[in-house]
Amino acid sequence: QKINIFQERFLVAHTPDSILLGDLVSCKLSEIPWMSSGDEKFYFDNPSVCMIFKAGELSLVEYGSNELLHCARTEHMSPHMISVRITDPVAGAAGPDRHVKCMAYLLDLQTVRI
């Protein structure tokens, strides 16, 4: 339908049943099932993750992955109050230390969820 480019780097395209998100620098593209209402806000402050805020719900999509990284309800959406960390897999590492993905955000004015 429509393709948008943000900051001359990030791609957002809508299809009837999905949304495509891409980083043109790293050439990573993600396609996730999505019913667009047109009122989503996209944040590209993290080079590894696109943050989508819609109707009180925050969705994170890691570029290059075709599934949601995380979805959370929050009353307070500011990309400056959300911390996302994704570490690359360490060669030869095994177990849970191999690949770390975590997020911290405000659940309400006094509660931080990690």
PDB file of all heavy atoms in Angstrom, residues 31-47:
ATOM      1  N   GLU A  31       8.872  -8.639   8.954  1.00  0.00           N
ATOM      2  CA  GLU A  31       7.454  -8.589   8.604  1.00  0.00           C
ATOM      3  C   GLU A  31       6.689  -9.312   9.699  1.00  0.00           C
ATOM      4  O   GLU A  31       6.941 -10.483   9.973  1.00  0.00           O
ATOM      5  CB  GLU A  31       7.170  -9.243   7.255  1.00  0.00           C
ATOM      6  CG  GLU A  31       5.711  -9.154   6.869  1.00  0.00           C
ATOM      7  CD  GLU A  31       5.397  -9.713   5.500  1.00  0.00           C
ATOM      8  OE1 GLU A  31       6.247 -10.414   4.921  1.00  0.00           O
ATOM      9  OE2 GLU A  31       4.295  -9.443   5.001  1.00  0.00           O
ATOM     10  N   ILE A  32       5.759  -8.580  10.323  1.00  0.00           N
ATOM     11  CA  ILE A  32       4.969  -9.161  11.408  1.00  0.00           C
ATOM     12  C   ILE A  32       3.489  -8.982  11.085  1.00  0.00           C
ATOM     13  O   ILE A  32       3.110  -8.030  10.408  1.00  0.00           O
ATOM     14  CB  ILE A  32       5.296  -8.526  12.778  1.00  0.00           C
ATOM     15  CG1 ILE A  32       5.056  -7.020  12.755  1.00  0.00           C
ATOM     16  CG2 ILE A  32       6.707  -8.856  13.209  1.00  0.00           C
ATOM     17  CD1 ILE A  32       5.085  -6.377  14.119  1.00  0.00           C
ATOM     18  N   PRO A  33       2.649  -9.901  11.559  1.00  0.00           N
ATOM     19  CA  PRO A  33       1.206  -9.712  11.385  1.00  0.00           C
ATOM     20  C   PRO A  33       0.776  -8.430  12.104  1.00  0.00           C
ATOM     21  O   PRO A  33       1.190  -8.180  13.246  1.00  0.00           O
ATOM     22  CB  PRO A  33       0.595 -10.943  12.053  1.00  0.00           C
ATOM     23  CG  PRO A  33       1.709 -11.933  12.156  1.00  0.00           C
ATOM     24  CD  PRO A  33       2.972 -11.144  12.241  1.00  0.00           C
ATOM     25  N   TRP A  34      -0.048  -7.610  11.443  1.00  0.00           N
ATOM     26  CA  TRP A  34      -0.426  -6.325  12.036  1.00  0.00           C
ATOM     27  C   TRP A  34      -1.701  -5.816  11.393  1.00  0.00           C
ATOM     28  O   TRP A  34      -1.802  -5.780  10.174  1.00  0.00           O
ATOM     29  CB  TRP A  34       0.705  -5.314  11.806  1.00  0.00           C
ATOM     30  CG  TRP A  34       0.579  -4.066  12.593  1.00  0.00           C
ATOM     31  CD1 TRP A  34       0.034  -2.884  12.184  1.00  0.00           C
ATOM     32  CD2 TRP A  34       1.028  -3.839  13.925  1.00  0.00           C
ATOM     33  NE1 TRP A  34       0.108  -1.944  13.178  1.00  0.00           N
ATOM     34  CE2 TRP A  34       0.720  -2.509  14.266  1.00  0.00           C
ATOM     35  CE3 TRP A  34       1.654  -4.640  14.867  1.00  0.00           C
ATOM     36  CZ2 TRP A  34       1.014  -1.973  15.501  1.00  0.00           C
ATOM     37  CZ3 TRP A  34       1.952  -4.091  16.101  1.00  0.00           C
ATOM     38  CH2 TRP A  34       1.639  -2.779  16.408  1.00  0.00           C
ATOM     39  N   MET A  35      -2.624  -5.411  12.220  1.00  0.00           N
ATOM     40  CA  MET A  35      -3.836  -4.758  11.739  1.00  0.00           C
ATOM     41  C   MET A  35      -3.680  -3.266  12.040  1.00  0.00           C
ATOM     42  O   MET A  35      -3.777  -2.844  13.180  1.00  0.00           O
ATOM     43  CB  MET A  35      -5.079  -5.331  12.425  1.00  0.00           C
ATOM     44  CG  MET A  35      -5.322  -6.800  12.117  1.00  0.00           C
ATOM     45  SD  MET A  35      -5.400  -7.220  10.365  1.00  0.00           S
ATOM     46  CE  MET A  35      -6.868  -6.389   9.870  1.00  0.00           C
ATOM     47  N   SER A  36      -3.413  -2.501  11.012  1.00  0.00           N
ATOM     48  CA  SER A  36      -3.126  -1.085  11.189  1.00  0.00           C
ATOM     49  C   SER A  36      -4.410  -0.275  11.323  1.00  0.00           C
ATOM     50  O   SER A  36      -5.363  -0.470  10.573  1.00  0.00           O
ATOM     51  CB  SER A  36      -2.317  -0.559  10.006  1.00  0.00           C
ATOM     52  OG  SER A  36      -2.062   0.816  10.170  1.00  0.00           O
ATOM     53  N   SER A  37      -4.394   0.635  12.289  1.00  0.00           N
ATOM     54  CA  SER A  37      -5.506   1.561  12.444  1.00  0.00           C
ATOM     55  C   SER A  37      -5.104   2.963  11.976  1.00  0.00           C
ATOM     56  O   SER A  37      -5.929   3.854  11.917  1.00  0.00           O
ATOM     57  CB  SER A  37      -5.950   1.603  13.906  1.00  0.00           C
ATOM     58  OG  SER A  37      -4.885   2.063  14.709  1.00  0.00           O
ATOM     59  N   GLY A  38      -3.816   3.129  11.684  1.00  0.00           N
ATOM     60  CA  GLY A  38      -3.337   4.418  11.209  1.00  0.00           C
ATOM     61  C   GLY A  38      -2.926   5.376  12.307  1.00  0.00           C
ATOM     62  O   GLY A  38      -2.385   6.437  12.033  1.00  0.00           O
ATOM     63  N   ASP A  39      -3.166   5.013  13.565  1.00  0.00           N
ATOM     64  CA  ASP A  39      -2.808   5.914  14.664  1.00  0.00           C
ATOM     65  C   ASP A  39      -1.576   5.455  15.437  1.00  0.00           C
ATOM     66  O   ASP A  39      -1.316   5.905  16.539  1.00  0.00           O
ATOM     67  CB  ASP A  39      -3.995   6.109  15.613  1.00  0.00           C
ATOM     68  CG  ASP A  39      -4.420   4.824  16.309  1.00  0.00           C
ATOM     69  OD1 ASP A  39      -4.011   3.741  15.860  1.00  0.00           O
ATOM     70  OD2 ASP A  39      -5.168   4.908  17.294  1.00  0.00           O
ATOM     71  N   GLU A  40      -0.789   4.552  14.849  1.00  0.00           N
ATOM     72  CA  GLU A  40       0.432   4.090  15.491  1.00  0.00           C
ATOM     73  C   GLU A  40       1.486   5.196  15.449  1.00  0.00           C
ATOM     74  O   GLU A  40       1.529   5.986  14.520  1.00  0.00           O
ATOM     75  CB  GLU A  40       1.013   2.862  14.782  1.00  0.00           C
ATOM     76  CG  GLU A  40       0.120   1.678  14.717  1.00  0.00           C
ATOM     77  CD  GLU A  40      -0.684   1.606  13.426  1.00  0.00           C
ATOM     78  OE1 GLU A  40      -0.742   2.613  12.696  1.00  0.00           O
ATOM     79  OE2 GLU A  40      -1.269   0.563  13.168  1.00  0.00           O
ATOM     80  N   LYS A  41       2.331   5.201  16.475  1.00  0.00           N
ATOM     81  CA  LYS A  41       3.499   6.079  16.474  1.00  0.00           C
ATOM     82  C   LYS A  41       4.731   5.192  16.462  1.00  0.00           C
ATOM     83  O   LYS A  41       4.836   4.247  17.237  1.00  0.00           O
ATOM     84  CB  LYS A  41       3.504   6.976  17.711  1.00  0.00           C
ATOM     85  CG  LYS A  41       2.395   7.998  17.680  1.00  0.00           C
ATOM     86  CD  LYS A  41       2.502   8.952  18.837  1.00  0.00           C
ATOM     87  CE  LYS A  41       1.379   9.957  18.757  1.00  0.00           C
ATOM     88  NZ  LYS A  41       1.438  10.920  19.841  1.00  0.00           N
ATOM     89  N   PHE A  42       5.659   5.506  15.588  1.00  0.00           N
ATOM     90  CA  PHE A  42       6.880   4.718  15.427  1.00  0.00           C
ATOM     91  C   PHE A  42       8.050   5.503  15.994  1.00  0.00           C
ATOM     92  O   PHE A  42       8.170   6.709  15.755  1.00  0.00           O
ATOM     93  CB  PHE A  42       7.134   4.420  13.944  1.00  0.00           C
ATOM     94  CG  PHE A  42       6.049   3.593  13.317  1.00  0.00           C
ATOM     95  CD1 PHE A  42       4.966   4.199  12.703  1.00  0.00           C
ATOM     96  CD2 PHE A  42       6.108   2.214  13.350  1.00  0.00           C
ATOM     97  CE1 PHE A  42       3.964   3.446  12.126  1.00  0.00           C
ATOM     98  CE2 PHE A  42       5.106   1.448  12.781  1.00  0.00           C
ATOM     99  CZ  PHE A  42       4.032   2.064  12.168  1.00  0.00           C
ATOM    100  N   TYR A  43       8.901   4.807  16.744  1.00  0.00           N
ATOM    101  CA  TYR A  43      10.091   5.419  17.327  1.00  0.00           C
ATOM    102  C   TYR A  43      11.310   4.620  16.879  1.00  0.00           C
ATOM    103  O   TYR A  43      11.325   3.393  16.970  1.00  0.00           O
ATOM    104  CB  TYR A  43       9.998   5.438  18.862  1.00  0.00           C
ATOM    105  CG  TYR A  43       8.841   6.267  19.366  1.00  0.00           C
ATOM    106  CD1 TYR A  43       7.613   5.678  19.627  1.00  0.00           C
ATOM    107  CD2 TYR A  43       8.978   7.632  19.555  1.00  0.00           C
ATOM    108  CE1 TYR A  43       6.546   6.437  20.083  1.00  0.00           C
ATOM    109  CE2 TYR A  43       7.917   8.400  20.016  1.00  0.00           C
ATOM    110  CZ  TYR A  43       6.701   7.787  20.269  1.00  0.00           C
ATOM    111  OH  TYR A  43       5.648   8.544  20.722  1.00  0.00           O
ATOM    112  N   PHE A  44      12.324   5.338  16.412  1.00  0.00           N
ATOM    113  CA  PHE A  44      13.517   4.707  15.849  1.00  0.00           C
ATOM    114  C   PHE A  44      14.773   5.108  16.616  1.00  0.00           C
ATOM    115  O   PHE A  44      15.851   5.191  16.046  1.00  0.00           O
ATOM    116  CB  PHE A  44      13.655   5.109  14.370  1.00  0.00           C
ATOM    117  CG  PHE A  44      12.425   4.809  13.566  1.00  0.00           C
ATOM    118  CD1 PHE A  44      11.519   5.812  13.258  1.00  0.00           C
ATOM    119  CD2 PHE A  44      12.172   3.520  13.125  1.00  0.00           C
ATOM    120  CE1 PHE A  44      10.382   5.538  12.516  1.00  0.00           C
ATOM    121  CE2 PHE A  44      11.032   3.234  12.386  1.00  0.00           C
ATOM    122  CZ  PHE A  44      10.135   4.251  12.082  1.00  0.00           C
ATOM    123  N   ASP A  45      14.640   5.350  17.911  1.00  0.00           N
ATOM    124  CA  ASP A  45      15.777   5.798  18.716  1.00  0.00           C
ATOM    125  C   ASP A  45      16.800   4.706  18.962  1.00  0.00           C
ATOM    126  O   ASP A  45      17.958   4.987  19.232  1.00  0.00           O
ATOM    127  CB  ASP A  45      15.293   6.362  20.054  1.00  0.00           C
ATOM    128  CG  ASP A  45      14.457   7.615  19.881  1.00  0.00           C
ATOM    129  OD1 ASP A  45      14.492   8.202  18.776  1.00  0.00           O
ATOM    130  OD2 ASP A  45      13.770   8.013  20.828  1.00  0.00           O
ATOM    131  N   ASN A  46      16.389   3.453  18.900  1.00  0.00           N
ATOM    132  CA  ASN A  46      17.296   2.330  19.097  1.00  0.00           C
ATOM    133  C   ASN A  46      17.631   1.741  17.730  1.00  0.00           C
ATOM    134  O   ASN A  46      16.720   1.403  16.968  1.00  0.00           O
ATOM    135  CB  ASN A  46      16.638   1.277  19.989  1.00  0.00           C
ATOM    136  CG  ASN A  46      17.576   0.182  20.402  1.00  0.00           C
ATOM    137  OD1 ASN A  46      18.264  -0.406  19.584  1.00  0.00           O
ATOM    138  ND2 ASN A  46      17.590  -0.128  21.685  1.00  0.00           N
ATOM    139  N   PRO A  47      18.904   1.601  17.371  1.00  0.00           N
ATOM    140  CA  PRO A  47      19.249   1.106  16.036  1.00  0.00           C
ATOM    141  C   PRO A  47      18.918  -0.371  15.796  1.00  0.00           C
ATOM    142  O   PRO A  47      18.926  -0.818  14.652  1.00  0.00           O
ATOM    143  CB  PRO A  47      20.760   1.343  15.945  1.00  0.00           C
ATOM    144  CG  PRO A  47      21.219   1.386  17.356  1.00  0.00           C
ATOM    145  CD  PRO A  47      20.081   1.943  18.153  1.00  0.00           C
TER     146      PRO A  47
END
